[in-house]
Amino acid sequence: MNILILHGSSDLYGASKILLLTVEVYKKQGHTPIVVLSEKGLLSEALAELGIEVIYIRLGILRRKYKSINGIFNRLFRLRKAYHNIKGLVKERKIQLIYSNTTAVLVGGFVAKKMGIQHIWHVHEIIEKPFWLYQCMGRLVNHYSDKVIVVSSSVKESWLRFISPKKLHLIFNGIDYTPYLKQSDKLRTELAISPETMVIGMIGRVHYWKGQDYFLQIAAKLSHQFSKLRFVMIGDAFPGYEYIYSELAVFKKAEKLEKIVSDLGYRTDIAELIQGFDILVLPSQLPDPFPTVILEAMAAGKPVAATSQGGALEMVDENITGLLIPLNDPQQASLIIGELIEDSKKREEMGTAGRLKALSEYSFEAFENKMIKVLE
């Protein structure tokens, strides 16, 4: 079967990593996936290595930066143009199924409905506000899809109000854990971190809702309680959100954190770097649907401290594989994490339990089998 796969970005963060795995699964089954991206990037390079054809079409991806009147007209123009381009591609390549990855990609549903072909929508998001957007997106997904894949129970519950339960298929993300099972001292060597210094890290795109500022607030509190700590931030900014770096720099200077906080930007060697962490913190300020970084940390045998919302509630077993911390309360969050800093045995036990959970409940094999079943 010829499958047209549409995706909104060319990075290699959560949803893009899952798309890469999805393409591998479909190719392995003998299908012919063709991927459409708006631009070149790390994802397109990874797809090329797999021998997957990539076509570049500006898809009119929804972004918050287009919320102005001019932005809305810009998106409508791009969507109209993308609609005609995708229709032509469907005819030319005899596409039998369109697969849209994330709700930011609208055009696939419109084309599939018009041309009478199957459409699968892979939903990675939880949209809470504004309500009109939540309502509009829910109805669009419901009307313009045949099957809807959701990545967690939290995501499923959030969309049940507008999407038919008959269409919803819960498939937890699964990744290849092999690289995360290997020991590495790369991070500590690179940053010259002594063995007795504890490393607390976060991984995620720099964005207002990802919580880099909250991470630094927690770091400031912890630095007053403990002397030998190092904080590591990994990830680059969403286009248009580079200004956040300046805000973070001002805070680090005011709190005298510059010497104990390292910002490594975007890295492709996450599996090695995460081995240098003692604790992973997920400080998201909005519900993170199913943060893949938690799976990566658990597979690496690292305890997780995550804000108590979204997919983290399913992934983190409180006091077993990690801890849940409050939103917007750095003092309380630092006290919770502080207890883990002081208890090496607890950290080791949580790391072991987390690895077992990742390998058993969120295996790549389970993901693969369910993704294949959705096509049947």
Side-chain angles (χ1 to χ4, degrees), residues 19 78 83-84 200 214 218 221 227 298 323 329 331 347 351:
L19 177 135
R78 287 295 177 192
Y83 176 82
H84 291 293
I200 300 172
Y214 190 41
I218 295 170
K221 297 293 183 184
S227 58
M298 290 197 301
L323 301 168
D329 190 346
Q331 179 62 38
R347 293 197 306 272

Side-chain angles (χ1 to χ4, degrees), residues 209-229:
W209 76 268
K210 284 293 187 178
Q212 278 81 9
D213 56 342
Y214 190 41
F215 179 76
L216 290 180
Q217 291 169 28
I218 295 170
K221 297 293 183 184
L222 288 172
S223 68
H224 295 151
Q225 301 174 47
F226 303 95
S227 58
K228 293 186 176 181
L229 294 180

Side-chain angles (χ1 to χ4, degrees), residues 69-311:
I69 295 297
N70 288 339
I72 291 171
F73 278 111
N74 174 281
R75 292 299 86 186
L76 289 174
F77 171 77
R78 287 295 177 192
L79 275 171
R80 185 172 182 273
K81 196 168 182 179
Y83 176 82
H84 291 293
N85 287 335
I86 296 299
K87 274 185 67 179
L89 191 58
V90 168
K91 291 178 181 178
E92 178 188 339
R93 300 303 180 88
K94 298 179 181 178
I95 300 297
Q96 297 152 285
L97 170 73
I98 295 179
Y99 167 101
S100 298
N101 198 43
T102 82
T103 56
V105 184
L106 296 178
V107 67
F110 300 154
V111 172
K113 178 68 73 172
K114 178 67 175 179
M115 302 186 75
I117 61 177
Q118 293 288 305
H119 181 230
I120 294 177
W121 215 323
H122 202 149
V123 176
H124 300 255
E125 302 90 348
I126 295 174
I127 299 176
E128 294 184 325
K129 296 177 182 178
F131 180 78
W132 67 266
L133 179 61
Y134 164 48
Q135 182 181 42
C136 181
M137 288 305 307
R139 288 177 173 169
L140 279 173
V141 172
N142 187 57
H143 183 71
Y144 288 100
S145 64
D146 296 286
K147 295 180 180 181
V148 180
I149 299 170
V150 287
V151 299
S152 69
S153 298
S154 297
V155 174
K156 182 178 181 179
E157 288 298 320
S158 73
W159 290 107
L160 274 173
R161 185 170 181 177
F162 298 109
I163 300 176
S164 168
K166 293 180 180 179
K167 292 186 176 184
L168 292 170
H169 298 262
L170 174 58
I171 303 179
F172 294 124
N173 294 339
I175 61 176
D176 178 8
Y177 296 115
T178 306
Y180 299 92
L181 303 178
K182 302 173 183 177
Q183 294 296 314
S184 173
D185 59 359
K186 184 174 185 176
L187 178 70
R188 289 178 176 269
T189 301
E190 180 177 324
L191 299 178
I193 300 173
S194 62
E196 64 272 14
T197 299
M198 285 204 57
V199 178
I200 300 172
M202 77 160 291
I203 302 171
R205 297 215 76 173
V206 177
H207 197 282
Y208 72 89
W209 76 268
K210 284 293 187 178
Q212 278 81 9
D213 56 342
Y214 190 41
F215 179 76
L216 290 180
Q217 291 169 28
I218 295 170
K221 297 293 183 184
L222 288 172
S223 68
H224 295 151
Q225 301 174 47
F226 303 95
S227 58
K228 293 186 176 181
L229 294 180
R230 191 71 172 268
F231 300 90
V232 176
M233 304 168 68
I234 301 175
D236 61 355
F238 277 94
Y241 290 90
E242 291 82 2
Y243 69 88
I244 294 177
Y245 285 119
S246 299
E247 296 177 354
L248 297 177
V250 170
F251 184 85
K252 282 190 281 187
K253 186 175 182 180
E255 295 292 332
K256 299 179 180 178
L257 294 173
E258 291 130 307
K259 292 183 179 180
I260 62 171
V261 175
S262 298
D263 189 341
L264 304 185
Y266 180 79
R267 297 290 291 259
T268 59
D269 50 351
I270 296 298
E272 294 177 271
L273 297 178
I274 206 168
Q275 291 292 342
F277 289 5
D278 291 289
I279 301 170
L280 175 94
V281 176
L282 184 85
S284 303
Q285 295 300 288
L286 292 176
D288 216 325
F290 198 83
T292 306
V293 68
I294 289 183
L295 295 183
E296 294 171 337
M298 290 197 301
K302 308 300 176 181
V304 176
T307 46
S308 184
Q309 56 181 345

Side-chain angles (χ1 to χ4, degrees), residues 52-76:
I52 303 298
E53 181 181 6
V54 180
I55 297 172
Y56 300 99
I57 296 174
R58 299 287 292 277
L59 294 173
I61 303 303
L62 295 184
R63 301 278 187 240
R64 289 179 183 271
K65 65 180 180 179
Y66 295 112
K67 62 183 178 182
S68 65
I69 295 297
N70 288 339
I72 291 171
F73 278 111
N74 174 281
R75 292 299 86 186
L76 289 174

